[in-house]
Amino acid sequence: QVQLVESGGGLVQPGGSLRLSCAASGSIFSVGTMGWYRQAPGKQRELVATITSGGVTNYADSVKGRFAVSRDNAKNTVYLQMNNLKPEDTAVYYCNSNVRSRSSSPWAVYWGQGTQVTVSS
């Protein structure tokens, strides 16, 4: 079994910054693409950013230039640095990871429990 544990959410004023972390642990042979998604009240979950094991990144247009995704492959951890936060960034943020538990296992997708980010004055 694989667990994703997130940390770093909270309340921040508009224009402020937060850094989210997500560590994968458990039965892990290989970690592929990792990423962040978010879900605001009354809205569908949407992609924020992803990063491949080789470091190739992809961002939603709404966060380009403000957010940066990175990872530490040795720690199976993905980060999301969020700068110049806006009230519309308020949501529950979920991390996501593609993992193989064994060399012979297929890729499986795992999700974290979510962390609340609230941007308000």
Side-chain angles (χ1 to χ4, degrees), residues 95-110:
C95 75
N96 162 291
S97 181
N98 292 272
V99 177
R100 281 197 298 171
S101 295
R102 298 184 181 87
S103 60
S104 58
S105 301
W107 291 100
V109 177
Y110 295 89

Side-chain angles (χ1 to χ4, degrees), residues 12-45:
V12 64
Q13 292 186 341
S17 298
L18 281 175
R19 189 191 195 211
L20 306 183
S21 300
C22 174
S25 63
S27 180
I28 296 174
F29 171 77
S30 179
V31 179
T33 297
M34 304 181 82
W36 293 93
Y37 292 72
R38 67 186 181 187
Q39 187 167 18
K43 295 188 177 181
Q44 289 188 330
R45 190 173 298 189

Side-chain angles (χ1 to χ4, degrees), residues 15-96:
S17 298
L18 281 175
R19 189 191 195 211
L20 306 183
S21 300
C22 174
S25 63
S27 180
I28 296 174
F29 171 77
S30 179
V31 179
T33 297
M34 304 181 82
W36 293 93
Y37 292 72
R38 67 186 181 187
Q39 187 167 18
K43 295 188 177 181
Q44 289 188 330
R45 190 173 298 189
E46 63 177 5
L47 179 146
V48 176
T50 61
I51 183 168
T52 69
S53 58
V56 177
T57 59
N58 179 52
Y59 295 94
D61 288 343
S62 60
V63 306
K64 283 181 181 177
R66 300 188 297 122
F67 290 12
V69 62
S70 61
R71 65 189 285 170
D72 184 333
N73 290 333
K75 296 181 180 179
N76 292 328
T77 299
V78 62
Y79 306 95
L80 185 68
Q81 177 66 43
M82 304 184 293
N83 299 324
N84 190 22
L85 281 158
K86 303 175 180 181
E88 51 264 42
D89 295 317
T90 295
V92 178
Y93 284 69
Y94 298 90
C95 75
N96 162 291

